[in-house]
Structures are given as C-alpha cells and as structure tokens.
Amino acid sequence: MQSEHSDASGGETAALALKILVAGGFGVGKTTLVGAVSEIRPLRTEELLSEAGQLVDDTGGVDQKVTTTVAMDFGRITIRSGLSLYLFGTPGQDRFWFLWDELSQGALGAVVLADTRRLEDCFPAVDYFEHRHIPFVVAVNCFAGARTYGAHDVSRALDLDRGTPVVLCDARDRDSGKEVLIRLVEYAGRMHTARLLDSVS
C-alpha cells in the first residue's frame, strides 16, 4: 500500500504503509498493544464476555478479563518519515479464526504475542504464520508476577524455526511496543529480500 506526498523541497516522495498483524491467544494483550502504540484512536470491536462464552473461552490466568475482541483491532503508527504501519489485531479464540485469512492478505508480517503462563495458547498462531510463510516475531508480554524466561528458552519451548526473533515486551508501553514492531519490519525485510534473491538465482 503506497501513496505520495510532497517533501519540503516540493518534490514527491513515496510514503509507504505496511500491514502488520498482531496475533496470539485469548487475553494475551493484543488489544492493549495496538492501543498503546497507535497514534490514532484505535478501532476496537470488543464485546463483554458472556456466560455462554465461558463454556468455550478459557479465562484461566486472565480472570480479570471482562471483554473480548470479536472481529479485529485497528491502529496506525508512523515509524519514521515516509513509513507507517497499519496494525490489525486478530481475535484470539478459535471460533473467530475464519477472519484470519482475510486479515492476513497483503500483510508484511505479524507479531505473535505470548504469555509464559499460557505459552501453549500461541502455538496455533505460530503454526498459522509458519505454514503460510508469513514472517513473524514472538513478543513475550511480561505480566507482573509471571516467571521470567529468556528469549532462548521461549524459542526452544515453541520449537521456532532458526532465526525467528523472540523479544520481551510490555504491551502497555508505547516504546516497548514500537521496538517490537521495528524488529518485525527489519526481520520481514530480510526474509522478503532473501526470498526474492532465491527466486532469481
């Protein structure tokens, strides 16, 4: 997705907007991350958790959660002049996964948020992006009171492909979230360049 705007000298410069997905398990902090980094008021599609949902949504470890995303979150952040990221937060529950294929169309890459208290919840997102060859980073959301694990430990536990970045973050903190996104853009850029070179060699 590209557009053009005038620079200070009156010339035209390309403004690049990249699509990024923010994925992960139920209650891991996807809505929080999008809201923390977005420079616009984020679009949210949250609904109150219902008694019916208790039968299918595992709230263990996130007992204070009272709402859930039912479609997507949307935000925007400018990384530097001429480069903006459009962020699409995916719903975490299996029953909303039919939305993922639509959301992933044209995405540069994805952030898979992980909670070490419920690490198995991010396996489906990791599998989804690996099977579709969409570059992703795993961002470990460091919740208060949770045991701290290093990036290498998390990478081994998730059996990630070699080179897949794992970063520690605080989804509530704008600077921390922005660092995660920068790491993703750098990694995805390297992956896309390598694939392009492979295709012409």
Side-chain angles (χ1 to χ4, degrees):
M1 188 181 308
Q2 275 191 321
S3 62
E4 291 190 343
H5 63 85
S6 297
D7 61 20
S9 64
E12 293 294 322
T13 59
L16 185 61
L18 303 174
K19 182 179 184 180
I20 302 294
L21 300 187
V22 180
F26 176 68
V28 76
K30 300 179 295 294
T31 298
T32 300
L33 177 65
V34 172
V37 301
S38 181
E39 63 199 16
I40 62 172
R41 182 177 179 182
L43 167 69
R44 293 183 170 144
T45 57
E46 289 198 304
E47 294 293 336
L48 290 172
L49 290 172
S50 65
E51 288 186 19
Q54 290 176 358
L55 301 174
V56 291
D57 295 332
D58 178 12
T59 57
V62 288
D63 305 329
Q64 305 302 314
K65 186 170 176 61
V66 295
T67 61
T68 186
T69 299
V70 295
M72 67 173 185
D73 300 309
F74 174 77
R76 186 190 72 212
I77 179 174
T78 301
I79 296 296
R80 58 172 170 74
S81 178
L83 175 59
S84 296
L85 304 183
Y86 288 171
L87 308 176
F88 292 81
T90 64
Q93 301 97 311
D94 294 354
R95 66 184 183 278
F96 295 125
W97 271 40
F98 65 92
L99 295 167
W100 283 45
D101 288 336
E102 287 293 324
L103 290 174
S104 65
Q105 290 293 321
L108 174 77
V111 173
V112 175
L113 269 179
D115 178 351
T116 57
R117 302 168 302 178
R118 300 158 51 107
L119 197 58
E120 67 280 0
D121 288 359
C122 71
F123 281 138
V126 168
D127 288 343
Y128 182 91
F129 296 121
E130 283 184 344
H131 286 126
R132 287 160 181 78
H133 306 289
I134 297 173
F136 67 95
V137 301
V138 173
V140 180
N141 194 5
C142 299
F143 287 90
R147 183 176 171 190
T148 302
Y149 293 89
H152 180 69
D153 294 327
V154 172
S155 180
R156 281 191 355 187
L158 293 176
D159 193 26
L160 297 176
D161 290 341
R162 186 176 176 201
T164 302
V166 176
V167 294
L168 306 182
C169 75
D170 181 344
R172 301 165 300 178
D173 182 76
R174 177 180 171 83
D175 290 337
S176 181
K178 187 174 179 180
E179 282 302 313
V180 170
L181 296 172
I182 290 170
R183 285 286 299 276
L184 171 61
V185 170
E186 291 172 345
Y187 176 64
R190 291 195 302 270
M191 293 294 291
H192 286 295
T193 299
R195 289 172 189 167
L196 183 61
L197 292 174
D198 284 345
S199 68
V200 298
S201 61

